Amino acid sequence: MNTLGMVSGMVLTTVVSTTSASIITNDPNLPPDGVYMSAEQVHAMYGAGALTIVLGNIRHHPFAATAIRTPIGPDEMEQFDSEAFGDVEVYVNGDFSGAGPMTGLGPVTTMVFGKIGNTTGTFDTEMLAMNLSGNSLFGPMMIRESPTLQSLGRTTITDIGGGLFKIDSFFDVFTELSIDGGQTWMPDFGGPVHMELVPAPGAAAMLGLLGLLSGRRRGA
Protein backbone atom coordinates (compact mmCIF):
# COMPACT_ATOMS: atom_id res chain seq x y z
CA MET A 1 0.00 0.00 0.00
CA ASN A 2 1.23 3.49 -0.83
CA THR A 3 0.99 5.26 2.54
CA LEU A 4 1.92 8.60 0.99
CA GLY A 5 -1.12 8.42 -1.25
CA MET A 6 -3.36 8.07 1.80
CA VAL A 7 -1.70 11.06 3.46
CA SER A 8 -2.11 13.13 0.30
CA GLY A 9 -5.85 12.61 0.47
CA MET A 10 -5.96 14.06 3.97
CA VAL A 11 -3.93 17.15 3.11
CA LEU A 12 -6.79 18.73 1.18
CA THR A 13 -9.01 18.69 4.29
CA THR A 14 -8.83 22.04 6.05
CA VAL A 15 -11.63 21.69 8.62
CA VAL A 16 -10.32 22.24 12.14
CA SER A 17 -11.68 19.98 14.87
CA THR A 18 -9.88 21.48 17.86
CA THR A 19 -11.79 21.48 21.15
CA SER A 20 -11.62 25.27 21.47
CA ALA A 21 -10.84 27.91 18.85
CA SER A 22 -10.44 30.75 21.34
CA ILE A 23 -8.84 31.72 24.62
CA ILE A 24 -9.98 33.68 27.67
CA THR A 25 -7.45 36.18 28.97
CA ASN A 26 -7.09 39.39 30.97
CA ASP A 27 -4.76 40.83 28.31
CA PRO A 28 -6.38 41.97 25.02
CA ASN A 29 -3.04 42.77 23.39
CA LEU A 30 -1.83 40.74 20.43
CA PRO A 31 -0.29 38.30 19.81
CA PRO A 32 -2.39 36.28 22.25
CA ASP A 33 -0.70 34.09 24.83
CA GLY A 34 -2.04 30.84 23.40
CA VAL A 35 -1.16 28.17 20.86
CA TYR A 36 -2.07 28.09 17.17
CA MET A 37 -2.85 24.48 16.31
CA SER A 38 -3.67 22.55 13.17
CA ALA A 39 -6.26 19.79 13.15
CA GLU A 40 -4.99 16.21 13.16
CA GLN A 41 -6.03 15.68 9.53
CA VAL A 42 -4.26 18.81 8.27
CA HIS A 43 -0.68 18.42 7.09
CA ALA A 44 2.02 20.40 5.38
CA MET A 45 3.76 18.46 2.60
CA TYR A 46 7.08 19.28 1.00
CA GLY A 47 8.86 17.46 -1.79
CA ALA A 48 12.00 17.43 -3.89
CA GLY A 49 12.73 14.61 -6.31
CA ALA A 50 12.09 11.26 -4.64
CA LEU A 51 11.86 12.84 -1.18
CA THR A 52 8.58 13.88 0.47
CA ILE A 53 8.40 15.30 4.00
CA VAL A 54 5.06 15.49 5.80
CA LEU A 55 4.64 17.75 8.85
CA GLY A 56 1.53 17.28 10.99
CA ASN A 57 0.07 17.91 14.43
CA ILE A 58 1.53 21.41 14.27
CA ARG A 59 1.50 23.62 17.39
CA HIS A 60 2.84 27.18 17.13
CA HIS A 61 3.23 29.23 20.31
CA PRO A 62 3.88 33.00 20.13
CA PHE A 63 5.94 34.39 22.98
CA ALA A 64 3.59 37.28 23.75
CA ALA A 65 5.95 38.79 26.32
CA THR A 66 8.56 39.43 23.60
CA ALA A 67 6.19 41.36 21.31
CA ILE A 68 7.16 44.71 19.85
CA ARG A 69 4.04 46.52 18.59
CA THR A 70 4.54 49.25 16.00
CA PRO A 71 1.73 51.47 14.65
CA ILE A 72 1.75 51.87 10.87
CA GLY A 73 -1.11 54.25 10.13
CA PRO A 74 -4.28 52.55 11.41
CA ASP A 75 -2.57 49.15 11.50
CA GLU A 76 -0.41 47.43 14.10
CA MET A 77 2.71 45.48 13.14
CA GLU A 78 3.73 42.89 15.72
CA GLN A 79 7.17 41.28 15.93
CA PHE A 80 7.74 38.48 18.43
CA ASP A 81 9.61 35.25 19.06
CA SER A 82 7.87 31.89 18.87
CA GLU A 83 8.30 28.14 19.10
CA ALA A 84 6.75 25.34 17.07
CA PHE A 85 6.32 21.61 17.51
CA GLY A 86 5.19 18.96 15.09
CA ASP A 87 5.45 15.38 13.90
CA VAL A 88 7.53 14.62 10.81
CA GLU A 89 7.12 11.70 8.41
CA VAL A 90 9.57 11.03 5.58
CA TYR A 91 8.80 9.15 2.36
CA VAL A 92 11.19 8.10 -0.39
CA ASN A 93 9.61 7.31 -3.77
CA GLY A 94 6.25 7.21 -1.99
CA ASP A 95 7.35 4.60 0.55
CA PHE A 96 7.39 5.35 4.27
CA SER A 97 10.94 5.84 5.55
CA GLY A 98 10.56 7.02 9.16
CA ALA A 99 8.86 9.38 11.62
CA GLY A 100 9.75 11.53 14.60
CA PRO A 101 9.15 14.86 16.36
CA MET A 102 10.22 18.31 15.17
CA THR A 103 10.89 21.50 17.14
CA GLY A 104 11.67 25.01 15.93
CA LEU A 105 12.34 28.49 17.29
CA GLY A 106 12.35 31.84 15.57
CA PRO A 107 10.83 35.27 14.94
CA VAL A 108 7.41 36.07 13.47
CA THR A 109 6.01 39.31 12.06
CA THR A 110 2.26 39.87 11.74
CA MET A 111 0.05 42.79 10.75
CA VAL A 112 -3.31 43.52 12.38
CA PHE A 113 -5.32 45.82 10.15
CA GLY A 114 -7.31 48.63 11.81
CA LYS A 115 -6.09 47.71 15.30
CA ILE A 116 -4.73 51.12 16.37
CA GLY A 117 -7.17 52.79 18.77
CA ASN A 118 -9.34 49.68 19.09
CA THR A 119 -9.05 47.32 22.04
CA THR A 120 -11.88 45.07 20.86
CA GLY A 121 -13.33 44.20 17.46
CA THR A 122 -12.74 41.93 14.49
CA PHE A 123 -9.50 42.51 12.61
CA ASP A 124 -8.13 41.10 9.38
CA THR A 125 -4.58 39.88 9.89
CA GLU A 126 -1.61 38.75 7.84
CA MET A 127 1.52 36.83 8.76
CA LEU A 128 4.23 38.79 6.99
CA ALA A 129 7.20 36.62 7.96
CA MET A 130 8.13 33.57 9.99
CA ASN A 131 11.60 32.02 10.21
CA LEU A 132 11.93 28.92 12.39
CA SER A 133 15.09 26.89 12.86
CA GLY A 134 15.03 23.55 14.59
CA ASN A 135 15.80 19.88 14.63
CA SER A 136 14.18 16.54 13.96
CA LEU A 137 15.30 12.93 14.05
CA PHE A 138 16.29 13.45 10.43
CA GLY A 139 18.53 16.43 11.07
CA PRO A 140 18.23 20.24 11.05
CA MET A 141 15.18 21.84 9.47
CA MET A 142 14.16 25.41 8.68
CA ILE A 143 10.57 26.55 8.08
CA ARG A 144 9.60 29.96 6.77
CA GLU A 145 6.40 31.73 5.77
CA SER A 146 6.19 31.90 1.99
CA PRO A 147 7.85 35.05 0.61
CA THR A 148 5.47 35.03 -2.39
CA LEU A 149 2.06 33.91 -1.02
CA GLN A 150 -0.11 35.76 1.50
CA SER A 151 -0.81 34.02 4.82
CA LEU A 152 -4.07 35.65 5.87
CA GLY A 153 -6.23 35.36 8.96
CA ARG A 154 -8.67 37.07 11.26
CA THR A 155 -8.78 37.87 14.97
CA THR A 156 -11.78 38.85 17.11
CA ILE A 157 -11.34 40.33 20.59
CA THR A 158 -14.48 40.47 22.76
CA ASP A 159 -14.86 42.09 26.19
CA ILE A 160 -16.75 39.50 28.27
CA GLY A 161 -16.68 41.52 31.50
CA GLY A 162 -14.89 41.13 34.78
CA GLY A 163 -11.64 42.29 33.24
CA LEU A 164 -11.60 39.32 30.85
CA PHE A 165 -11.47 39.11 27.07
CA LYS A 166 -12.28 36.31 24.63
CA ILE A 167 -9.91 36.08 21.66
CA ASP A 168 -10.76 34.05 18.55
CA SER A 169 -8.05 33.85 15.91
CA PHE A 170 -6.86 31.88 12.92
CA PHE A 171 -4.26 32.02 10.16
CA ASP A 172 -4.01 30.15 6.85
CA VAL A 173 -0.24 29.84 6.57
CA PHE A 174 1.76 29.07 3.43
CA THR A 175 5.14 27.67 4.40
CA GLU A 176 8.37 26.45 2.83
CA LEU A 177 10.88 23.99 4.28
CA SER A 178 14.65 23.69 3.94
CA ILE A 179 16.86 20.79 4.99
CA ASP A 180 20.11 22.27 3.65
CA GLY A 181 20.47 25.35 5.85
CA GLY A 182 18.35 27.60 3.66
CA GLN A 183 20.21 27.06 0.39
CA THR A 184 17.08 25.63 -1.23
CA TRP A 185 13.41 25.73 -0.19
CA MET A 186 10.57 23.31 -0.79
CA PRO A 187 7.05 24.88 -0.88
CA ASP A 188 4.11 23.19 0.81
CA PHE A 189 2.25 21.60 -2.11
CA GLY A 190 -0.73 20.77 0.12
CA GLY A 191 -1.85 24.41 0.27
CA PRO A 192 -2.00 26.67 3.33
CA VAL A 193 -2.17 25.10 6.78
CA HIS A 194 -5.19 26.32 8.77
CA MET A 195 -4.10 27.20 12.31
CA GLU A 196 -6.59 28.11 15.05
CA LEU A 197 -5.96 29.63 18.45
CA VAL A 198 -6.41 27.36 21.47
CA PRO A 199 -5.36 27.78 25.11
CA ALA A 200 -1.80 26.87 26.01
CA PRO A 201 -1.78 23.48 27.80
CA GLY A 202 -1.17 25.01 31.24
CA ALA A 203 -3.87 27.65 30.73
CA ALA A 204 -6.38 25.06 29.53
CA ALA A 205 -5.76 22.92 32.60
CA MET A 206 -6.14 25.94 34.88
CA LEU A 207 -9.44 26.98 33.25
CA GLY A 208 -10.73 23.44 33.69
CA LEU A 209 -9.73 23.44 37.36
CA LEU A 210 -11.38 26.82 37.95
CA GLY A 211 -14.57 25.56 36.30
CA LEU A 212 -14.55 22.43 38.48
CA LEU A 213 -14.03 24.44 41.67
CA SER A 214 -16.75 26.90 40.67
CA GLY A 215 -19.15 24.04 40.10
CA ARG A 216 -18.34 22.55 43.48
CA ARG A 217 -18.95 25.89 45.19
CA ARG A 218 -22.36 26.26 43.53
CA GLY A 219 -23.27 22.73 44.51
CA ALA A 220 -22.03 23.10 48.09
Side-chain angles (χ1 to χ4, degrees):
M1 180 182 296
N2 188 330
T3 307
L4 180 56
M6 296 177 60
V7 174
S8 298
M10 294 190 291
V11 172
L12 299 180
T13 303
T14 57
V15 177
V16 169
S17 58
T18 50
T19 56
S20 172
S22 63
I23 65 170
I24 305 298
T25 177
N26 59 4
D27 185 358
N29 289 312
L30 300 177
D33 189 15
V35 174
Y36 284 88
M37 181 178 293
S38 69
E40 290 183 2
Q41 70 269 29
V42 177
H43 299 72
M45 295 183 67
Y46 313 91
L51 178 67
T52 300
I53 298 174
V54 180
L55 177 60
N57 192 24
I58 307 165
R59 293 94 69 200
H60 190 202
H61 179 204
F63 295 149
T66 68
I68 298 173
R69 303 175 183 93
T70 304
I72 301 179
D75 310 323
E76 181 177 271
M77 184 174 70
E78 299 157 357
Q79 298 168 292
F80 50 91
D81 294 326
S82 69
E83 63 180 346
F85 305 90
D87 299 322
V88 178
E89 297 181 359
V90 175
Y91 298 82
V92 179
N93 290 320
D95 296 323
F96 178 73
S97 178
M102 181 281 299
T103 61
L105 293 169
V108 175
T109 301
T110 58
M111 186 73 78
V112 185
F113 299 100
K115 182 66 172 65
I116 298 302
N118 297 299
T119 301
T120 61
T122 296
F123 309 98
D124 290 329
T125 57
E126 181 178 356
M127 181 179 290
L128 300 178
M130 176 182 68
N131 293 279
L132 305 177
S133 297
N135 290 288
S136 73
L137 290 179
F138 311 100
M141 288 186 174
M142 299 173 67
I143 298 174
R144 70 180 182 184
E145 193 272 334
S146 170
T148 59
L149 300 173
Q150 287 185 296
S151 297
L152 303 177
R154 183 171 296 132
T155 296
T156 298
I157 306 171
T158 305
D159 188 340
I160 60 175
L164 297 175
F165 299 85
K166 180 173 178 280
I167 302 181
D168 301 86
S169 185
F170 75 87
F171 281 93
D172 293 321
V173 185
F174 289 93
T175 59
E176 298 181 353
L177 181 142
S178 175
I179 56 175
D180 59 9
Q183 297 182 55
T184 59
W185 293 89
M186 296 177 280
D188 176 5
F189 59 81
V193 174
H194 187 78
M195 306 287 292
E196 293 210 13
L197 179 67
V198 299
M206 182 59 68
L207 286 173
L209 177 61
L210 289 175
L212 178 62
L213 292 175
S214 176
R216 286 179 176 175
R217 292 192 189 100
R218 289 194 296 269

